[in-house]
Amino acid sequence: MDAFEYRPNPANIIFGSGSISKTGDQLKRHGLSKPLILSTPEQTGQAEALRKILEGKVEVVGIFSEATMHTPLHVTEKALKYCEEKSPDCLISIGGGSTIGLGKAMSVRNGLFHIVIPTTYAGSEVTPVVGETVDGKKTTRSDPKILPSLVIYDLDLTMTLPVGLSVTSGINAIAHAAEALYAQKGDPITNLFAQEGTRALARALPELVKDKSSVSARRDAQYGAWLCGTCLGSVGMSLHHKLCHTLGGTFNLPHSETHTIVLPHALAYNAPKVPEAMKMLADALPESNGDPIQGLNTLLAKTNAPRSLKAFGMKEEDIDKAADIAVSNAYWNPRSVERDLIREVIRRAWAGEDARTDL
């Protein structure tokens, strides 16, 4: 076995049906009594429900419900100003990647204890990474201080998650695991997490398409999302995430849908250089027949996942701009990042073609 370093991020995880009810006790355990709740406008109802759960235990100083995708700086600044006015002693993000991203961007700036209650399968809650958008460009920041202090996974909060979003946030989570398998600083422990997380999600997502109320599928999906997110939190990112940050931040494309569409194409580009990682991924994907690209194409087809960036408003003339931005900043990737080839990767994702390893 090759030499390696394993540096797990410290995390306090509470997992189980009804676990949101433990939030008040957890606040008291950590000596906290004045939380500020964060959400998107669409999830204000869940934020209000959490406020009611906390009534009589702590003083909720307010709800900031303007979180939005790609964590634009102007929203973060507005939330920080609101935070100063309310003087909370902690933040609680309830929602998906947009809300969690806002909470991370705030806590790393003001040092507040950050509790996350995820309602999707994005996995951002267990990573020390935040992507922020300024003037149409999304940049990624990694710092141990970004990692939330406590994560409460409540199965019940995912039961009404729409099937389409369940699928795309689940594939987004698989993307974290896939890149971890060939990360520059990978290790065998993270590889185990990546395979198990991918296996759980690949099992759960087709079942959710058949029965969105399946408790076992929801449990598998949440479990898989936690494992996959933990992988991304332990190792670095490569081509897939860089492309998605470029596309999402520059063209305001939806986060999880963009990850879903790009993933098989980015993997196909890197596949020739990472045969061991591809074998591990193939072992975790059903119906792959030893080919993880085929396995992903099949999974996307079985779950009716989106395949085309064009369908979300990206224009054909944007492909060249995206390729230029994607290669403008140097970053590690197992295969050399060549502009013309990356343009073709983006074009295929834009057109909605099946991924293939012929570049």
Side-chain angles (χ1 to χ4, degrees):
M1 181 180 292
D2 292 336
F4 68 91
E5 292 185 19
Y6 177 54
R7 298 181 179 179
N9 289 308
N12 186 358
I13 307 294
I14 296 175
F15 197 99
S17 176
S19 56
I20 193 174
S21 64
K22 300 178 182 179
T23 307
D25 292 337
Q26 286 296 314
L27 287 168
K28 289 184 176 181
R29 177 173 175 266
H30 290 281
L32 303 167
S33 61
K34 297 174 63 179
L36 170 64
I37 300 174
L38 308 175
S39 77
T40 62
E42 295 79 13
Q43 292 182 292
T44 304
Q46 288 179 317
E48 291 288 355
L50 176 59
R51 186 207 289 266
K52 291 182 179 179
I53 290 172
L54 296 176
E55 281 181 358
K57 295 183 177 181
V58 296
E59 176 194 354
V60 176
V61 300
I63 295 175
F64 184 86
S65 58
E66 299 180 36
T68 190
M69 64 181 182
H70 306 309
T71 320
L73 181 60
H74 72 274
V75 174
T76 300
E77 290 175 340
K78 184 175 181 180
L80 287 168
K81 183 177 180 180
Y82 181 82
C83 191
E84 288 180 7
E85 294 170 356
K86 296 297 182 179
S87 298
D89 60 9
C90 62
L91 304 171
I92 304 178
S93 297
I94 182 166
S98 297
T99 305
I100 296 167
L102 174 61
K104 286 178 168 183
M106 293 173 67
S107 66
V108 76
R109 286 173 168 85
N110 61 23
L112 288 179
F113 192 95
H114 184 201
I115 298 172
V116 175
I117 306 175
T119 60
T120 70
Y121 307 128
S124 174
E125 63 278 358
V126 285
T127 74
V129 178
V130 64
E132 299 181 275
T133 305
V134 181
D135 298 328
K137 288 190 177 182
K138 190 170 184 177
T139 57
T140 301
R141 178 180 178 185
S142 182
D143 188 320
K145 296 177 182 178
I146 294 172
L147 188 73
S149 308
L150 170 65
V151 183
I152 299 175
Y153 287 105
D154 190 332
L155 170 69
D156 301 346
L157 296 179
T158 68
M159 294 303 295
T160 57
L161 186 66
V163 171
L165 184 53
S166 298
V167 168
T168 56
S169 67
I171 300 296
N172 181 15
I174 290 175
H176 303 334
E179 286 224 312
L181 288 170
Y182 57 73
Q184 187 177 24
K185 296 181 179 180
D187 62 81
I189 309 303
T190 300
N191 289 347
L192 291 173
F193 274 44
Q195 283 189 293
E196 175 66 4
T198 298
R199 193 173 288 114
L201 281 159
R203 179 172 63 241
L205 297 180
E207 182 60 31
L208 286 177
V209 172
K210 297 176 184 176
D211 178 10
K212 64 180 181 181
S213 300
S214 170
V215 173
S216 61
R218 291 288 180 187
R219 184 181 297 113
D220 278 349
Q222 195 170 55
Y223 167 66
W226 165 53
L227 291 175
C228 291
T230 300
C231 293
L232 182 65
S234 301
V235 297
M237 295 181 288
S238 301
L239 177 64
H240 169 80
H241 282 84
K242 299 299 183 182
L243 283 179
C244 290
H245 290 161
T246 294
L247 293 164
T250 304
F251 306 108
N252 200 36
L253 298 174
H255 182 82
S256 64
E257 289 86 347
T258 301
H259 278 267
T260 297
I261 294 165
V262 170
L263 177 59
H265 298 284
L267 277 177
Y269 182 84
N270 281 331
K273 297 295 183 179
V274 287
E276 287 301 315
M278 292 300 101
K279 183 180 184 302
M280 287 188 283
L281 186 59
D283 289 345
L285 289 168
E287 303 179 58
S288 66
N289 295 319
D291 179 356
I293 309 305
Q294 175 184 317
L296 272 174
N297 284 332
T298 301
L299 179 61
L300 295 179
K302 288 178 67 174
T303 55
N304 302 315
R307 304 301 300 272
S308 165
L309 296 173
K310 176 170 58 175
F312 292 96
M314 184 178 177
K315 300 175 182 178
E316 188 170 10
E317 55 264 34
D318 292 334
I319 296 172
D320 281 301
K321 181 179 179 181
D324 290 338
I325 296 173
V327 301
S328 62
N329 295 317
Y331 53 88
W332 184 87
N333 191 65
R335 180 179 177 182
S336 175
V337 178
E338 300 179 32
R339 193 268 181 196
D340 289 345
L341 296 182
I342 294 304
R343 185 196 186 282
E344 177 60 12
V345 168
I346 296 170
R347 188 204 65 76
R348 292 177 182 185
W350 173 82
E353 299 174 6
D354 271 358
R356 55 191 189 274
T357 56
D358 60 350
L359 289 179

